[in-house]
Amino acid sequence: MAKIKVHEIAKELEKQSKEIIAFLQDKGIEVKAAQSALEEEAAEMVRKAFGREKAQGQAGGEAPRRKKKIIVVSNPHNSNIPG
């Protein structure tokens, strides 16, 4: 079975690693750090628990914010654009 690290599943679910660690410790699964590897059963349990919260949050109709593109170069001597 494939193992996944806590920080990888946290990134997948857009949560912080410490939230995932606290959840797993409450369930009796021994996890010490974000680099800890999880069995597939534990990873699925986390996905079900936190995936439900994520689905409810997006049901509110608000689209996730996107980062704006950088359109200004603060150091003109580093710019490729003439002028």
Side-chain angles (χ1 to χ4, degrees), residues 2-78:
K3 291 189 177 186
I4 187 168
K5 298 206 182 251
V6 173
H7 71 90
E8 292 171 346
I9 199 163
K11 185 175 181 181
E12 173 186 321
L13 297 171
E14 298 175 357
K15 297 286 183 182
Q16 290 190 357
S17 298
K18 58 185 170 184
E19 292 179 69
I20 306 294
I21 292 169
F23 172 78
L24 290 168
Q25 288 175 343
D26 287 343
K27 297 293 182 182
I29 298 171
E30 187 176 333
V31 180
K32 294 182 180 180
Q35 291 294 324
S36 300
L38 297 176
E39 294 292 333
E40 190 61 36
E41 296 85 23
E44 283 303 315
M45 181 173 50
V46 171
R47 284 186 185 106
K48 286 179 185 175
F50 286 95
R52 201 174 316 121
E53 291 175 10
K54 184 177 176 184
Q56 289 174 354
Q58 289 181 352
E62 215 174 295
R65 293 184 180 181
R66 291 187 178 184
K67 293 183 179 178
K68 295 180 181 180
K69 293 181 181 178
I70 298 174
I71 57 171
V72 177
V73 178
S74 62
N75 295 326
H77 64 280
N78 291 336

